Amino acid sequence: MEVKFGGIMLGIVRQKVGAKCINSSVKQSMPRTLDAARRFSSAAKQMTVRDALNSALDEEMSADPKVFLMGEEVGEYQGAYKITKGLLDKYGPERVRDTPITEAGFTGIGVGAAYYGLRPVVEFMTFNFSMQAIDHIINSAAKSNYMSAGQISVPIVFRGPNGAAAGVGAQHSQCYAAWYGSCPGLKVLAPYSAEDARGLLKAAIRDPDPVVFLENELLYGESFPISAEVLDSSFCLPIGKAKIELEGKDVTITAFSKMVGSALQAAEILSKEGISAEVINLRSIRPLDRDTINRSVRKTNRLVTVEEGYPQHGVGAEICASVIEESFGYLDAPVERIAGADVPMPYAANLERMAVPQVEDIVRAAKRACYRSVPKSATA
């Protein structure tokens, strides 16, 4: 079967490419915090999140001619955040396609191409702009496999920066993890480290279902230690599996994306006060690794959830509900949710800081859960 796409005749072989993932035990051996990781920089190769994403795209495009990229400035400009740097020169304009500023238009084209067996990777300059295309993401991509009784698979990835950056105002600062995480038919991933970014993006591209891939602009330039195993072209991470970044026994802290770094910093501060925190990097928002979370809470007997998104109907709310349903008898303290302020993001830097969870907020919540400080109700 052939499909004419952008003036190019592409032969399509309809097949499902399974995500052949390496479930690495080495992942649990990362240093306790990002600062600690940098102190051990001589022990492992360092890679930025930007380079991890770029290398994952490059390798998957090389391995599968059906993979192509599309979005605003992904080609000639090398990507708004240089994630797609060098790929136009290597693969040409047929597979790295610059689009007009028409999210609804190019997202619909991408979904249609996926219907015919191509594997598009659609970049949004920010996920806030995906609101222009949400009908295609949810009604055209997420529901088609179910509504067609499995006859139509939609192997497409929607990727780009999500959540708060710095000084970009309310229209460019929202976290969409809970929005897309509530929609059946979508898989929703949120990487933290270079290992996460590389392994999860490769898994997303190989997956037969639509994947929303939520990156963070402020993490693109961050460097993380990365092993030879992760650099292997066959490496990918299993979708739906969280990672225990730091083991502990007194309180469980769950986080995703940039907030994992804040949780690790909070854990380091807590350790100096004799509180051993277990930090879980969720990695996958949908499906959510409830088993790992509940096993941790049954060990620590306490839970603090951390996210940049709004508190009402948030990812943390879902995690708390899961723990109440499955592990209520193990809890020794009320669950604590740390989230962004329930207001549109302010532009002023001082107000912006107040609207986004800070390390000290996580520390205070963990100490309340461990009865090391005055509870909020007593200070009201």
Side-chain angles (χ1 to χ4, degrees):
M1 179 169 59
E2 292 186 329
V3 58
K4 191 171 184 180
F5 178 72
I8 304 298
M9 297 299 292
L10 297 174
I12 306 301
V13 179
R14 291 299 302 275
Q15 61 182 12
K16 288 190 177 181
V17 180
K20 186 179 180 182
C21 294
I22 297 174
N23 192 359
S24 168
S25 61
V26 177
K27 297 191 294 292
Q28 306 299 333
S29 64
M30 284 185 68
R32 292 172 65 89
T33 66
L34 186 56
D35 291 335
R38 292 198 173 102
R39 289 198 293 272
F40 288 102
S41 60
S42 61
K45 179 179 173 65
Q46 297 277 313
M47 178 177 275
T48 65
V49 170
R50 176 181 290 107
D51 289 342
L53 294 168
N54 179 268
S55 66
L57 290 170
D58 187 6
E59 289 174 9
E60 294 306 301
M61 292 181 74
S62 177
D64 187 349
K66 298 188 295 298
V67 178
F68 73 96
L69 315 181
M70 65 188 308
E72 297 155 5
E73 299 184 343
V74 299
E76 294 288 347
Y77 191 66
Q78 310 286 314
Y81 300 97
K82 302 300 179 274
I83 304 301
T84 55
K85 184 177 181 179
L87 300 182
L88 175 64
D89 292 339
K90 189 168 183 178
Y91 297 102
E94 293 84 4
R95 296 183 64 195
V96 182
R97 305 194 66 86
D98 282 319
T99 68
I101 305 175
T102 53
E103 282 79 10
F106 66 72
T107 302
I109 291 171
V111 173
Y115 283 176
Y116 278 89
L118 291 174
R119 307 183 81 85
V121 179
V122 175
E123 176 179 308
F124 296 117
M125 198 174 291
T126 163
F127 254 93
N128 297 269
F129 299 161
S130 74
M131 291 295 93
Q132 299 291 323
I134 197 167
D135 179 53
H136 288 304
I137 296 170
I138 291 178
N139 284 324
S140 301
K143 299 176 182 178
S144 291
N145 187 262
Y146 183 84
M147 294 177 68
S148 68
Q151 296 179 78
I152 301 175
S153 62
V154 191
I156 188 170
V157 178
F158 306 102
R159 56 154 295 271
N162 171 70
V168 293
Q171 299 98 324
H172 302 81
S173 299
Q174 194 159 322
C175 175
Y176 289 94
W179 285 59
Y180 289 118
S182 68
C183 182
L186 291 178
K187 294 174 181 175
V188 182
L189 306 178
Y192 163 59
S193 65
E195 177 185 308
D196 290 355
R198 182 171 159 80
L200 291 175
L201 184 55
K202 290 169 81 69
I205 294 171
R206 299 176 194 183
D207 199 89
D209 297 315
V211 178
V212 171
F213 198 84
L214 304 173
E215 301 156 13
N216 187 283
E217 176 185 340
L218 299 179
L219 286 175
Y220 284 148
E222 290 284 350
S223 293
F224 293 84
I226 199 162
S227 67
E229 179 195 24
V230 176
L231 293 173
D232 189 280
S233 61
S234 65
F235 176 81
C236 75
L237 290 169
I239 292 174
K241 182 64 178 172
K243 175 187 177 184
I244 298 177
E245 293 279 352
L246 177 66
E247 292 190 358
K249 59 183 178 63
D250 294 329
V251 59
T252 296
I253 304 175
T254 66
F256 61 93
S257 190
K258 186 174 179 289
M259 288 292 102
V260 176
S262 297
L264 288 169
Q265 291 178 50
E268 188 168 33
I269 294 170
L270 290 166
S271 69
K272 296 175 182 177
E273 301 188 34
I275 298 174
S276 173
E278 181 149 295
V279 177
I280 298 178
N281 173 5
L282 296 176
R283 283 181 167 169
S284 179
I285 305 301
R286 186 183 185 104
L288 187 65
D289 189 356
R290 301 173 193 274
D291 288 343
T292 294
I293 295 167
N294 277 280
R295 278 198 306 270
S296 177
V297 170
R298 291 173 187 181
K299 177 176 68 172
T300 67
N301 310 118
R302 295 171 176 84
L303 172 67
V304 175
T305 70
V306 187
E307 64 187 307
E308 286 188 348
Y310 300 132
Q312 184 161 322
H313 310 306
V315 175
E318 177 64 24
I319 291 171
C320 290
S322 175
V323 168
I324 294 297
E325 290 167 355
E326 299 179 39
S327 304
F328 178 77
Y330 291 85
L331 288 171
D332 287 343
V335 295
E336 292 266 358
R337 286 187 296 153
I338 302 299
D342 202 18
V343 297
M345 181 65 68
Y347 176 74
N350 60 327
L351 297 179
E352 182 182 67
R353 188 180 189 281
M354 294 172 66
V356 177
Q358 302 297 319
V359 173
E360 53 266 30
D361 298 323
I362 305 171
V363 170
R364 283 194 293 265
K367 290 172 73 173
R368 283 195 299 269
C370 295
Y371 301 107
R372 296 290 189 89
S373 64
V374 178
K376 285 186 291 187
S377 58
T379 62

